[in-house]
Amino acid sequence: MKGKNLLAVNLKIKVLTMKSQLNLVKSILAVAGIAAVSAVSAAPASAIGLAPASAFSFANIVGGDTPGDAYANSFSFDVIDQGSSVLFNIFNSGNATASEMFISKVFFDDNNFLSGVANIYNNSNVAFTGGASNDQLPQGGNGFTTDYAFSRNTGAGNRWGIQGGEMLGLSFTGNYANVVSALTNGSLKLGLHVQALPGGASDSYISSTSNTEATPEPLTMLAAGAAVGFGAMFKKQRAQAQKGE
């Protein structure tokens, strides 16, 4: 048998040390923490209470006045499940070109989905009173019949109205799922009367049937965020390992 020349082969074996194991654990915890923060940050304001919630917008009234048509997207509301009652949070996000506008009245065309006012959540800048009423929404016409109406308290100019960046909470006895379904199919409607538009004009709006935002379950959001975070981490580690080969 002829002799064979032996080739020297250098092998590098990377052993997972205790330090690297600890680093991996730290990375996992860090990703989980980031995912949790991301999930909470991505949630709408109404979701912070962890109760089921849905958000809706307002739209212009077809054939009605037009001074406020450009500002319809400044108004919205959340519906939050409170067990035996539902909370409506009505928002005025404001608009730089109509900085003085404010919501002076809120109307509900109910059709028996709400059985009574549970609470009016006033604060130092917003104060409303009202309840069961047949007061009519300006421009509402035959398509809107008022069952509940709420008006800003008088005095101090427009102070008590819902101005830019402010909110009014109205709680009613009712079933959350039925209320959201009724809002989506139009059998339950909200109306707004807005004053102090440019030129001293006013206008009215009716709730849209589009459910613009359904709040995900908090644990589902966390799991989704964690999955994305872990995927990104392991993809980065794989790329680094392939680069070092």
Side-chain angles (χ1 to χ4, degrees), residues 14 32 45 67 78 85 87 97 117 141 146 172 179 189 191 205 217 238:
K14 191 173 183 179
D78 283 353
S85 63
L87 172 64
T97 61
V117 180
T146 302
F172 295 82
V179 166
K189 297 185 286 289
Y205 307 89
E217 291 294 333
R238 187 167 60 251

Side-chain angles (χ1 to χ4, degrees), residues 158-174:
N158 61 2
R159 172 183 174 181
W160 302 118
I162 310 171
Q163 301 180 72
E166 295 180 344
M167 176 191 76
L168 171 68
L170 298 169
S171 179
F172 295 82
T173 302

Side-chain angles (χ1 to χ4, degrees), residues 46-68:
S46 58
I48 301 304
L50 304 184
S54 296
F56 293 83
S57 58
F58 286 92
N60 296 309
I61 297 176
V62 178
D65 292 343
T66 59

Side-chain angles (χ1 to χ4, degrees), residues 201-225:
S202 63
D203 208 343
S204 297
Y205 307 89
I206 291 181
S207 56
S208 169
T209 56
S210 175
N211 186 340
T212 60
E213 184 180 77
T215 302
E217 291 294 333
L219 291 179
T220 302
M221 291 168 57
L222 179 58

Side-chain angles (χ1 to χ4, degrees), residues 100-173:
E100 300 299 319
M101 69 179 181
F102 66 95
I103 300 171
S104 61
K105 289 187 176 183
V106 179
F107 304 83
F108 287 78
D109 183 351
D110 174 29
N111 288 316
N112 298 316
F113 292 99
L114 307 172
S115 58
V117 180
N119 209 338
I120 301 175
Y121 295 95
N122 290 317
N123 56 58
S124 59
N125 296 315
V126 177
F128 276 63
T129 55
S133 173
N134 60 2
D135 189 10
Q136 291 303 304
L137 170 70
Q139 308 169 52
N142 296 327
F144 193 102
T145 302
T146 302
D147 296 296
Y148 299 94
F150 303 86
S151 302
R152 69 181 177 96
N153 292 355
T154 57
N158 61 2
R159 172 183 174 181
W160 302 118
I162 310 171
Q163 301 180 72
E166 295 180 344
M167 176 191 76
L168 171 68
L170 298 169
S171 179
F172 295 82
T173 302

